[in-house]
Amino acid sequence: MSHGRDSDAARTGGLTHPRRDLDELLTHAVRFSIVAALAGVQRAEFAAVRDSVEISDAMLSKQVALLEKASYVHVEKGRVGRRPRTWLALTGEGAAAYEKHVAALRTIAGLAD
């Protein structure tokens, strides 16, 4: 996020570090992992994401609620036969935030080369 970017840039003579392009919501490893799991698919069942990220239902619910509030993830509830199901999908805004975050990480890692 860009909190204080203008004042920092003025203080450093216009130089900016790529860490300023990191998304604060995605710096949390579990939220980053959830978004990454959704980035390659149109939508995924809640249980599949839970198992992929290796977290509990409660942890996934909590993190998805934060991502949904930020409009990064869309949650759809329905049924398959008689069984209730929940599907998760990355929104356009979530995909853009993820791509920008990953690009910033790559740039930061490249600075060490």
Side-chain angles (χ1 to χ4, degrees):
M1 313 255 21
S2 60
H3 302 281
R5 181 178 210 150
D6 293 335
S7 60
D8 288 349
R11 213 179 20 224
T12 61
L15 300 176
T16 59
H17 191 277
R19 74 175 177 280
R20 299 182 197 296
D21 289 329
L22 293 173
D23 187 296
E24 289 180 27
L25 198 58
L26 299 182
T27 58
H28 187 278
V30 171
R31 287 191 294 267
F32 180 77
S33 297
I34 293 165
V35 171
L38 295 173
V41 298
Q42 187 173 13
R43 71 178 189 167
E45 258 191 67
F46 182 94
V49 175
R50 176 200 62 212
D51 294 347
S52 169
V53 179
E54 299 178 352
I55 56 175
S56 68
D57 285 350
M59 174 63 93
L60 181 55
S61 291
K62 179 180 177 182
Q63 301 307 322
V64 165
L66 292 170
L67 292 165
E68 185 179 28
K69 184 177 179 183
S71 298
Y72 285 10
V73 171
H74 172 72
V75 178
E76 180 183 342
K77 295 188 179 277
R79 294 191 167 273
V80 174
R82 294 183 174 185
R83 302 182 71 109
R85 292 284 189 261
T86 301
W87 293 275
L88 308 174
L90 201 55
T91 65
E93 187 174 343
Y98 173 71
E99 289 172 17
K100 184 176 179 182
H101 188 81
V102 169
L105 289 171
R106 286 189 174 124
T107 301
I108 292 166
L111 292 176
D113 289 343

